[in-house]
């Protein structure tokens, strides 16, 4: 039996058993179709579903057609399964993964956040499409039990949450929502995109399905689209013991006909990226937490923190431009459960509310190291005037995705940007 390797080691070696060549770096397989065997004793018709008898991919599946399985995406899934600690299905994007989860679970009621507390607006768009064809009810995630009762949220329905939240980076108590869902026989799906491994494991706190937009941290280089669903291993064991089909198999079979499989190039890029996932995420988390602490301290009035003369000058520039900083690291009142939920660091995304809409619109153009662009999770730092892509949020809000650059350089870039704003407004 292999020793219990650390996730950083598994990210590099979990797919070794799928390597059937002498290549050290995985080869890129672009073929969409694969030859059947010439051995007539083994040439037997099979169903598509038979390819998914077990999620253990220790032996290569018989590749037939890339909409079913393909070498690069299979290796990518094998690595992800070890990092997420649950059987994994990949998709062409994060939204296609969310759509697949809704299609498979087929809820009659879905609880999800709304407005600035609602998280990613794209998920609301997918849910609206699902509602159009299913007639499902949508209820507020943060409503009390009476509202959930009135909507009929119960067995087989879905409670969907994000933690940390897009675009603010604040965290919610996964265990609390898991408890509320389980009492009703509902399922908890958690979008954990903003808290990738090794920062948190939602399964430990009761999630049934964990979703990631793999475009972000799993890709990590702003050059691939990908979605991921991982299934709670404890629930899978329970289903297997009862003789029921596993969710992993059901989701894989559904994916054949949804057609939302990721491409081979994306699978290959994903393998490359996962090799350095822990290195990148830990650096990004540390950078973000340091930047948030610096900004938060400078928004306080002089005397609240021990200011040096330089700090006092910084504080004036920050206070005159920044109204509020939002991030899980600032949730001091939630430290009891938050330390258990995110024991290895906070998410690398935070939000700034500026003093005015015009300041929020102008600041990105004053920065040298933060690209003004949407998305997040790449090695480069990004900043987005969020109203450019999400009309539900405050138009004074800026979303900051922190990269792996030197944190002092990032801090100086922000400070110079604040000073430039003051000089022209």
């Amino acid at each position: 039996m292999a020793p219990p390797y650390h996730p950083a080691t598994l990210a590099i070696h979990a797919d070794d058993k799928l390597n059937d060549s002498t290549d050290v770096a995985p080869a890129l397989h672009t073929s969409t179709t694969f030859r059947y065997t010439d051995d007539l004793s083994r040439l037997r018709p099979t169903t598509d579903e038979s390819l998914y008898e077990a999620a253990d991919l220790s032996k290569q599946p018989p590749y037939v057609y890339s909409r079913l399985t393909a070498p690069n995406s299979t290796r990518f899934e094998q690595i992800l399964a070890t990092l997420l600690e649950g059987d994994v299905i990949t998709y062409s994007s994060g939204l296609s993964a969310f759509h697949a989860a809704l299609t498979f679970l087929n809820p009659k009621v879905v609880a999800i956040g709304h407005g600035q507390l609602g998280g990613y607006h794209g998920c609301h768009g997918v849910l609206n499409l699902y509602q159009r064809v299913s007639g499902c009810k949508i209820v507020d995630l943060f409503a009390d039990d009476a509202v959930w009762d009135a909507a009929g949220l119960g067995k087989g329905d879905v409670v969907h949450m994000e933690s940390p939240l897009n675009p603010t980076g604040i965290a919610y108590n996964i265990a609390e929502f898991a408890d509320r869902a389980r009492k009703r026989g509902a399922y908890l799906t958690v979008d954990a995109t903003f808290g990738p491994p090794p920062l948190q494991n939602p399964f430990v706190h009761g999630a049934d399905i964990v979703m990631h937009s793999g475009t972000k941290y799993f890709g990590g280089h702003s050059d691939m689209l990908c979605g991921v669903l991982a299934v709670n291993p404890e629930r899978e064991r329970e289903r297997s013991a009862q003789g029921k089909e596993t969710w992993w198999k059901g989701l894989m079979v559904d994916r054949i006909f949804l057609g939302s499989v990721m491409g081979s190039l994306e699978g290959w890029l994903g393998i490359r990226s996962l090799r350095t996932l822990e290195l990148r995420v830990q650096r990004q988390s540390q950078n973000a937490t340091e930047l948030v602490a610096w900004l938060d301290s400078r928004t306080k009035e002089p005397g609240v923190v021990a200011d040096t003369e330089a700090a006092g000058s910084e504080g004036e520039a920050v206070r005159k431009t920044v109204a509020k900083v939002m991030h899980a690291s600032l949730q001091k009142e939630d430290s009891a459960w938050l330390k258990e939920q995110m024991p290895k660091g906070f998410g690398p995304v935070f939000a700034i509310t500026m003093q005015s809409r015009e300041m929020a619109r102008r600041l990105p153009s004053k920065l040298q190291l933060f690209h003004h662009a949407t998305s997040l999770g790449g090695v480069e730092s990004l900043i987005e005037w969020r109203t450019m892509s999400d009309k539900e949020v405050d138009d004074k809000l800026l979303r900051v995705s922190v990269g792996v650059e030197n944190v002092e350089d990032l801090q100086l870039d922000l400070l110079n940007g604040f000073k430039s704003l003051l000089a022209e407004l």
Side-chain angles (χ1 to χ4, degrees), residues 72-138:
N72 294 117
S73 58
T74 296
R75 289 183 72 163
F76 182 53
E77 289 168 345
Q78 183 69 47
I79 303 168
L80 279 173
T82 64
L83 300 180
L84 295 176
E85 301 183 37
D87 295 336
V88 162
I89 310 95
T90 56
Y91 298 89
S92 55
S93 70
L95 290 184
S96 63
F98 185 53
H99 176 245
L102 291 174
T103 302
F104 177 75
L105 296 174
N106 193 26
K108 302 299 182 289
V109 183
V110 177
I112 190 170
H114 290 83
Q116 193 158 307
L117 299 179
Y120 183 41
H121 63 283
C123 286
H124 290 268
V126 171
L127 183 54
N128 289 339
L129 292 177
Y130 174 76
Q131 185 183 45
R132 185 193 303 171
V133 297
S134 70
C136 80
K137 296 179 181 179
I138 301 174

Side-chain angles (χ1 to χ4, degrees), residues 162-175:
E162 290 182 23
S163 190
L165 184 71
N166 184 7
T168 60
I170 64 173
Y172 292 118
N173 190 335
I174 295 172

Side-chain angles (χ1 to χ4, degrees), residues 120-121 166-167 374 384-390 393 397 399:
Y120 183 41
H121 63 283
N166 184 7
T374 196
E384 182 185 23
W385 183 32
R386 190 58 182 160
T387 196
M388 290 291 292
S389 58
D390 187 351
V393 303
L397 186 140
R399 186 181 70 182

Side-chain angles (χ1 to χ4, degrees), residues 3 5 35 49 58 68 82 99 104 109 145 148 158 186 193 229 231 257 274 330 332 342 351 382 396:
Y5 293 122
R35 289 189 299 269
E49 291 85 348
S58 58
L68 311 179
T82 64
H99 176 245
F104 177 75
V109 183
D145 286 339
W148 284 17
V158 166
T193 299
L229 294 180
V231 184
F257 305 108
L274 290 181
L330 300 178
K332 307 303 182 186
M342 304 193 76
L382 304 179
K396 298 190 292 295

Side-chain angles (χ1 to χ4, degrees), residues 8 11-12 217-221 270-282 284 379 404:
I12 297 171
Y217 294 98
F218 295 160
H221 296 79
I271 297 168
R272 167 217 61 181
S273 298
L274 290 181
R275 305 301 197 207
T276 60
L277 177 67
E278 184 169 302
L279 290 171
R280 290 184 286 106
V281 169
Q282 287 184 331
Q284 290 169 294
V379 292
V404 300

Side-chain angles (χ1 to χ4, degrees), residues 286-298 310-311 314-315 317-318 350 363 367 369-370 381 400 402 405-419:
Q286 180 182 351
N287 279 355
T289 303
E290 289 187 30
L291 286 175
V292 166
W294 169 71
L295 285 168
D296 184 59
S297 69
R298 296 301 178 256
E314 292 178 3
V318 174
F350 65 91
L363 179 64
L367 303 176
L369 301 180
F370 292 81
S381 292
V400 183
V402 182
E405 302 95 337
N406 177 276
V407 69
E408 294 178 355
D409 291 339
L410 296 176
Q411 179 179 311
L412 182 60
D413 195 35
L414 286 171
L415 180 60
N416 288 338
F418 298 145
K419 290 180 177 178

